[in-house]
């Protein structure tokens, strides 16, 4: 099979989507080289280390880091305002850059679209994040093979979040308009601060202990790295990793990626996106129901049409082989014979008249008047006899026809009566052969431990378990004693055969 041939643009677009989907937000550390500041306001540079290099672009509309008195990543407050990273940026500077990987189509090269930048040595939380990330990755927390699929349209959902946060409102609002209706049980937990990580762990463990839900959803609104740090704690990642229930994490915005997101069975970009991943749109469900209903109606219509066709075939066959149909066919044959008789009689009369005319003509040509009168009298007598006999012949034929019809009807009735008697005999024989019928007269069926019928006391020694089947139920029993019947003597048996008393 020949594969589709892609254009350069199509292939580049697919690569761009793959890169941006695989690396929506990454941290990269390296040395700045080839720094360029064109008049457009964008900043271009290259990050490199000992083995590789990465092209970077810091677009003008993303350059929001100005001189300020706190770290935008960690929330750390400085003693004095520090200059903007944009002013400090220079060749040879060791920096930490955060952003998304994209592909620049005109050159066909991938690059890092920078969103945050700071000199290396700052951002201790970012460094701790990378260290924990490497540790958990080595333990297999992020392995795709261990991740489980989410249930389709779940009916029971355990929601772990703050009961006062905007994430709860966003999630519930979208959940109310999707799916076929689900019950959501809230497991409240702090999502920010020093006590947040233990509270999240307890909530996840409680949801697993209850075993009520089909999936656990962990959501929180957006914030800084410090705000989301509870979801970067190794204890939270461990609780998600050991959860018996599938875990869906929707923490922060699309660019926010935490260790809990990476450990969860599936990650959502936002809390609202988490609801979209769990439940299909209600309109889609309605459409599927409509399609299923239409398919059911079509199948039912086909089934009914097939049944009607079979019924028509059986009715036609029954009509053809029925006694009434056979009688109708015989009646048709009698009608045909009657018509043929009429035609033959008329033909014979026509022939006789023609012969009469010929004789009359011949007599007129050479026969004496006396002879002619005598022959005419005889012809008229024959015609009169034939005219008189014709009604009798027709009446006799009608009588034979009626007699044949009555005999056919009687034969049909007799055949049906005979079939009814045969059916009664078979029904009586079936009832007589029913092994359960004697049970109503006080008899019983006894089965051994293997389920077979017992026909001799030798098959059930003392201590054997037996089942006694009566007319209205069964009894389970144990044989306590075996007492065989005493066989009659030979003389007694002979006497019984001869009908004498002994």
């Amino acid at each position: 099979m020949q594969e589709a041939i892609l254009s350069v643009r199509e292939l580049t677009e697919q690569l761009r989507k793959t890169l941006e989907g695989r690396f929506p937000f990454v941290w990269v550390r390296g040395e700045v080289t080839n720094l360029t500041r064109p008049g457009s306001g964008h900043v271009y540079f290259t990050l490199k280390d000992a083995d590789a290099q990465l092209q970077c672009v810091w677009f003008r509309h993303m350059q929001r880091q100005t001189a300020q008195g706190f770290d935008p990543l960690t929330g750390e407050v400085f003693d004095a305002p520090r200059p903007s990273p944009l002013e400090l940026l220079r060749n040879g500077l060791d920096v930490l850059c955060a952003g998304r990987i994209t592909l620049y189509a005109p050159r066909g090269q991938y690059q890092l679209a920078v969103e945050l930048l700071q000199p290396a040595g700052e951002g201790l939380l970012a460094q701790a994040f990378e260290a924990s990330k490497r540790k958990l990755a080595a333990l297999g927390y992020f392995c795709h093979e261990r991740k489980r699929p989410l249930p389709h349209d779940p009916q029971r959902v355990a929601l772990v979040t703050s009961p006062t946060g905007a994430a709860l409102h966003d999630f519930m609002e979208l959940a109310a308009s999707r799916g076929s209706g689900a019950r959501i049980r809230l497991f409240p937990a702090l999502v920010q601060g020093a006590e947040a990580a233990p509270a999240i762990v307890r909530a996840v463990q409680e949801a697993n202990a209850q075993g009520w839900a089909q999936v656990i959803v962990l959501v929180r609104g957006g914030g800084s790295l410090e705000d989301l740090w509870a979801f970067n704690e190794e204890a939270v990642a461990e609780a998600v990793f050991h959860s018996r229930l599938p875990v869906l994490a929707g923490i922060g915005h699309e660019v926010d990626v935490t260790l809990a997101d990476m450990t969860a069975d599936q990650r959502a970009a936002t809390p609202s996106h988490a609801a979209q991943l769990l439940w299909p749109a209600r309109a889609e469900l309605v459409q599927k129901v409509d399609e299923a209903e239409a398919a059911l109606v079509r199948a039912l219509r086909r089934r009914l049409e097939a049944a009607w066709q079979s019924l028509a075939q059986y009715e036609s066959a029954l009509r053809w082989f029925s006694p009434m149909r056979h009688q109708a066919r015989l009646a048709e044959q009698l009608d045909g014979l009657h018509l043929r008789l009429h035609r033959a009689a008329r033909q014979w009369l026509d022939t006789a008249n023609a012969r009469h005319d010929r004789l009359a003509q011949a007599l007129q040509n050479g026969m004496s008047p006396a002879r002619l009168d005598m022959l005419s009298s005889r012809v008229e007598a024959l015609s009169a006899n034939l005219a008189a006999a014709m009604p009798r012949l027709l009446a006799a034929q009608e009588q034979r026809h009626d007699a044949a019809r009555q005999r056919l009807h009687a034969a049909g009735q007799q055949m049906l009566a005979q079939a009814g008697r045969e059916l009664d005999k078979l029904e009586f024989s079936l009832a007589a052969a029913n092994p359960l019928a004697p049970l109503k007269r006080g008899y019983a069926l006894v089965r051994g431990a293997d389920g077979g019928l017992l026909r001799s006391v030798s098959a059930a020694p003392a201590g054997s378990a037996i089942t006694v089947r009566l007319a209205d139920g069964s009894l389970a029993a144990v044989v306590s004693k075996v007492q065989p019947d005493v066989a009659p003597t030979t003389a007694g048996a002979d006497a019984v055969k001869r009908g004498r008393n002994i």
Side-chain angles (χ1 to χ4, degrees):
M1 180 178 180
Q2 185 177 4
E3 296 183 356
I5 300 177
L6 302 177
S7 66
V8 176
R9 184 188 64 79
E10 291 172 342
L11 178 59
T12 303
E13 182 65 16
Q14 292 186 19
L15 291 173
R16 183 188 64 80
K17 292 180 180 179
T18 301
L19 287 174
E20 291 181 358
R22 178 67 179 83
F23 301 100
F25 192 79
V26 293
W27 282 93
V28 183
R29 181 173 181 174
E31 179 183 350
V32 177
T33 60
N34 302 323
L35 178 62
T36 304
R37 301 175 184 266
S40 62
H42 306 320
V43 178
Y44 301 90
F45 57 95
T46 302
L47 282 182
K48 72 171 187 177
D49 56 17
D51 301 315
Q53 63 180 10
L54 173 65
Q55 301 296 324
C56 302
V57 55
W58 197 359
F59 294 112
R60 181 177 179 179
H61 66 278
M62 298 300 297
Q63 299 169 9
R64 304 188 183 94
Q65 291 181 264
T66 59
Q68 50 193 3
F70 65 97
D71 190 324
L73 297 179
T74 65
E76 177 185 1
V77 179
F78 305 137
D79 295 334
R82 298 187 180 183
S84 169
L86 189 62
E87 299 175 0
L88 299 176
L89 190 61
R90 65 181 184 278
N91 286 326
L93 181 66
D94 191 15
V95 296
L96 287 173
C97 293
R100 58 185 177 87
I101 296 295
T102 184
L103 190 143
Y104 184 56
R107 295 184 181 177
Q109 65 181 18
Y110 72 97
Q111 62 186 9
L112 175 66
V114 178
E115 297 180 13
L116 297 173
L117 184 146
Q118 65 182 31
E122 299 179 3
L124 298 179
L125 287 180
Q127 297 180 20
F129 173 83
E130 292 296 331
S132 297
K133 179 180 176 182
R134 289 191 294 271
K135 175 182 176 181
L136 297 181
L139 295 175
Y141 277 38
F142 311 145
C143 183
H144 290 280
E145 287 75 11
R146 57 157 287 273
K147 297 192 175 185
R148 297 157 293 189
L150 299 179
H152 176 71
D153 192 17
Q155 303 299 302
R156 303 181 304 280
V157 176
L159 181 62
V160 178
T161 189
S162 171
T164 60
L168 175 62
H169 175 269
D170 295 342
F171 181 85
M172 296 298 295
E173 183 178 15
L174 203 58
S177 61
R178 300 180 69 87
S180 58
R183 289 182 292 170
I184 301 174
R185 184 173 294 180
L186 177 63
F187 291 81
L190 296 174
V191 293
Q192 184 174 344
E195 300 298 327
I200 296 171
V201 172
R202 287 193 299 269
V204 173
Q205 293 175 347
E206 177 64 21
N208 277 277
Q210 291 187 10
W212 170 83
Q214 297 173 268
V215 62
I216 298 176
V217 182
L218 190 60
V219 296
R220 188 212 188 278
S224 64
L225 181 60
E226 185 178 23
D227 295 337
L228 304 177
W229 189 252
F231 298 94
N232 287 320
E233 295 285 355
E234 294 183 8
V236 174
E238 183 178 358
V240 173
F241 179 77
H242 292 291
S243 173
R244 292 185 295 104
L245 299 173
V247 178
L248 170 63
I251 301 167
H253 299 302
E254 185 173 359
V255 297
D256 301 321
V257 181
T258 66
L259 297 180
D261 286 315
M262 302 170 69
T263 309
D265 294 284
Q266 190 164 342
R267 173 186 178 257
T270 61
S272 298
H273 185 220
Q276 294 176 351
L277 292 178
L278 281 179
W279 298 290
R282 193 157 296 166
E284 296 178 2
L285 296 179
V286 172
Q287 182 179 358
K288 290 182 179 179
V289 171
D290 293 340
E291 293 175 353
E293 181 181 4
L296 182 61
V297 170
R298 291 194 298 270
L300 180 60
R301 186 179 293 113
R302 290 194 297 269
R303 184 69 179 271
L304 289 176
E305 291 177 354
W308 278 114
Q309 291 178 359
S310 298
L311 180 61
Q313 293 175 358
Y314 293 145
E315 184 179 5
S316 177
L318 182 62
R319 191 184 304 112
W320 177 260
F321 291 106
S322 66
M324 298 300 296
R325 178 68 178 180
H326 183 62
Q327 182 179 358
R329 289 197 297 271
L330 292 179
E332 291 177 359
Q333 293 178 5
L334 289 176
D335 293 339
L337 293 175
H338 189 264
L339 180 61
R340 288 173 59 187
L341 179 61
H342 274 280
R343 290 177 179 174
R346 184 175 299 277
Q347 185 177 3
W348 187 85
L349 287 176
D350 293 340
T351 303
N353 289 330
R355 184 178 180 183
H356 175 269
D357 293 340
R358 289 196 301 272
L359 290 175
Q361 185 67 32
L363 290 173
Q364 291 177 1
N365 292 335
M367 189 175 293
S368 64
R371 181 68 174 173
L372 180 60
D373 292 338
M374 182 184 65
L375 291 177
S376 298
S377 299
R378 292 180 62 184
V379 171
E380 290 176 356
L382 290 174
S383 299
N385 292 335
L386 182 60
M390 185 58 64
R392 291 195 301 273
L393 293 175
L394 293 177
Q397 186 67 24
E398 290 289 344
Q399 291 176 358
R400 287 194 296 273
H401 178 271
D402 293 338
R405 178 175 299 175
Q406 292 176 0
R407 289 195 301 274
L408 179 61
H409 181 72
Q413 295 295 330
Q414 184 179 2
M415 183 173 60
L416 292 177
Q418 181 65 24
R421 289 192 294 272
E422 292 294 333
L423 181 62
D424 293 339
K425 290 180 181 180
L426 292 176
E427 184 178 2
F428 180 76
S429 300
L430 181 62
N434 184 5
L436 300 181
L439 300 184
K440 297 181 180 179
R441 301 196 298 271
Y443 292 92
L445 295 176
V446 182
R447 298 182 183 272
D450 58 353
L453 291 174
L454 299 182
R455 295 178 173 82
S456 173
V457 295
S458 61
S464 301
I466 61 175
T467 302
V468 181
R469 172 66 186 274
L470 301 177
D472 58 349
S474 301
L475 300 175
V478 178
V479 178
S480 61
K481 182 179 179 181
V482 179
Q483 186 175 358
D485 291 340
V486 178
T489 63
T490 305
D494 293 340
V496 170
K497 292 179 180 178
R498 293 193 297 272
R500 295 188 293 106
N501 295 327
I502 59 172

